[in-house]
Amino acid sequence: MAQGRSGSNNLVVPQATAALQQLKMEAAQELGVQIPADGYYGNYTSRETGSLGGYITKRLVQLAEQQLSGK
């Protein structure tokens, strides 16, 4: 698995990779979750990875709402 992603997680806009990686790092820092250097999350609890994923989703929705409202 390249960079910790499964083959079914294909980005609709591949150019967004760097921005999504930055968002993941910011979210992890805010939640106090350490991102593994090797991309393997097997040593993390479902709560840790779920909270990170949920937080990222929340931020993406906020960004989309702001963009749609013209702000």
Side-chain angles (χ1 to χ4, degrees), residues 12-68:
V12 175
V13 182
Q15 298 82 358
T17 302
L20 289 171
Q21 189 66 18
Q22 179 65 31
L23 180 62
K24 180 168 69 170
M25 294 299 178
E26 289 173 8
Q29 184 177 9
E30 289 180 30
L31 294 174
V33 176
Q34 193 74 8
I35 299 290
D38 61 0
Y40 177 69
Y41 287 86
N43 297 324
Y44 289 79
T45 65
S46 296
R47 182 178 203 85
E48 289 172 320
T49 56
S51 65
L52 183 56
Y55 188 81
I56 291 170
T57 302
K58 180 180 173 183
R59 292 279 306 273
L60 288 171
V61 169
Q62 287 173 341
L63 290 170
E65 287 174 345
Q66 289 172 353
Q67 190 173 35
L68 288 171

